[in-house]
Amino acid sequence: QVQLVESGGGLVQPGGSLRLSCAASGSISSIYAMGWYRQAPGKQRELVATDTNGGSANYADSVKGRFTISRDNAKNTVDLQMNRLKPEDTAVYYCKIVYTGKGLTFRYDAWGQGTQVTVSS
């Protein structure tokens, strides 16, 4: 059973910062990519940032220059440092990994349950 545990969400004022963390555990052989997505009320889930196993990061245009994704391969964790937050960043943020399970061949996706980020004055 693969589990993703997210932490770090909460309420912050515009211009403030939050750091989200995600820890993956369970029957994981290797993780090929880790990333963050978000879903605002009434909107589709969208990519925020991803980090491939090779160290290549990809960001949504709306967060470039403000958010930074980082990954600790030894610990199977991924963080999202969010700076200069805006009200439009308010959403539920989901951690996602692409992994291969122990004893298996193919890649699978796993999602965290989500953590609420609210940016409001």
Side-chain angles (χ1 to χ4, degrees):
Q1 185 77 22
V2 174
Q3 294 182 346
L4 303 180
V5 179
E6 299 144 320
S7 63
L11 175 65
V12 66
Q13 293 184 340
S17 298
L18 285 174
R19 187 176 183 90
L20 305 182
S21 296
C22 174
S25 63
S27 186
I28 298 172
S29 178
S30 61
I31 298 177
Y32 297 92
M34 306 186 77
W36 292 92
Y37 293 71
R38 69 185 182 187
Q39 187 167 17
K43 296 185 177 181
Q44 297 291 322
R45 188 174 299 183
E46 65 175 351
L47 169 76
V48 178
T50 59
D51 192 334
T52 67
N53 202 37
S56 179
N58 185 38
Y59 297 92
D61 288 341
S62 60
V63 307
K64 286 181 179 178
R66 299 189 297 119
F67 291 11
T68 302
I69 189 170
S70 59
R71 180 176 169 182
D72 188 329
N73 293 324
K75 297 180 180 179
N76 285 344
T77 60
V78 61
D79 292 354
L80 184 69
Q81 179 65 47
M82 304 185 294
N83 298 325
R84 302 187 301 279
L85 284 160
K86 305 175 181 179
E88 50 263 44
D89 294 319
T90 296
V92 177
Y93 284 70
Y94 297 90
C95 178
K96 177 190 175 182
I97 66 169
V98 181
Y99 73 99
T100 300
K102 292 182 179 178
L104 302 176
T105 301
F106 302 107
R107 298 177 183 178
Y108 297 89
D109 294 347
W111 293 83
Q113 67 178 359
T115 184
Q116 178 70 48
V117 172
T118 302
V119 184
S120 176
S121 59

